[in-house]
Amino acid sequence: MRAILSALSERDETAEICRDDEGQPEADSDLRDTESVPLSESVDVFFAREVAPHVPDAWIDTAKRDEKDKQVGIVGYEINFNRYFYKYTPPRPLEEIEADIRAIEKDIVRMLAEVTGSNVV
């Protein structure tokens, strides 16, 4: 049913907020987002500073809790592998790349000549 409604409907940004049978606003899964909150900071403080000013009708899903500490939000750590392990290698000189392309072009023409039986090389 939801798939049919999604396929046949369109979003109206000016429409009233959809509410459930109890009058509570229904979450729009298309607008769902997550944030990475520093471990040293309160979720509520982070939300008030970083989210609420930009999305005034946003809220925190307090039902999502970490299994270990039972606090709001899932605790994890992001390791930026590029930051710690990436070693920059400058590209080869343009002339060298161009020479490789020309050599490959010659190989292609030679192979095509073999396949077609022509003498154009």
Side-chain angles (χ1 to χ4, degrees), residues 34-83:
T34 60
E35 291 287 336
S36 295
V37 179
L39 291 173
S40 61
E41 191 167 1
S42 157
V43 171
D44 295 318
V45 170
F46 180 88
F47 181 83
R49 185 186 71 243
E50 299 291 336
V51 178
H54 307 288
V55 188
D57 57 346
W59 72 89
I60 298 171
D61 182 359
T62 56
K64 287 202 179 211
R65 295 183 174 266
D66 191 75
E67 290 179 14
K68 293 185 179 179
D69 68 4
K70 307 297 183 216
Q71 297 294 316
V72 172
I74 308 302
V75 177
Y77 197 83
E78 180 179 353
I79 299 172
N80 186 337
F81 285 97
N82 280 343
R83 173 187 276 172

Side-chain angles (χ1 to χ4, degrees), residues 7-121:
L8 298 176
S9 61
E10 63 183 48
R11 178 180 297 280
D12 181 0
E13 299 295 335
T14 62
E16 292 288 320
I17 294 174
C18 294
R19 300 188 180 277
D20 63 15
D21 294 336
E22 298 170 5
Q24 298 297 318
E26 289 184 356
D28 184 346
S29 61
D30 289 342
L31 300 177
R32 187 171 293 143
D33 199 5
T34 60
E35 291 287 336
S36 295
V37 179
L39 291 173
S40 61
E41 191 167 1
S42 157
V43 171
D44 295 318
V45 170
F46 180 88
F47 181 83
R49 185 186 71 243
E50 299 291 336
V51 178
H54 307 288
V55 188
D57 57 346
W59 72 89
I60 298 171
D61 182 359
T62 56
K64 287 202 179 211
R65 295 183 174 266
D66 191 75
E67 290 179 14
K68 293 185 179 179
D69 68 4
K70 307 297 183 216
Q71 297 294 316
V72 172
I74 308 302
V75 177
Y77 197 83
E78 180 179 353
I79 299 172
N80 186 337
F81 285 97
N82 280 343
R83 173 187 276 172
Y84 298 108
F85 302 108
Y86 178 74
K87 300 259 190 281
Y88 175 74
T89 305
R92 297 183 300 154
L94 187 57
E95 296 78 21
E96 190 178 313
I97 296 169
E98 197 171 341
D100 285 350
I101 292 172
R102 298 227 186 275
I104 293 169
E105 285 176 342
K106 285 181 184 176
D107 281 347
I108 291 171
V109 169
R110 181 187 51 76
M111 287 188 270
L112 284 172
E114 287 176 12
V115 171
T116 61
S118 67
N119 292 333
V120 179
V121 178

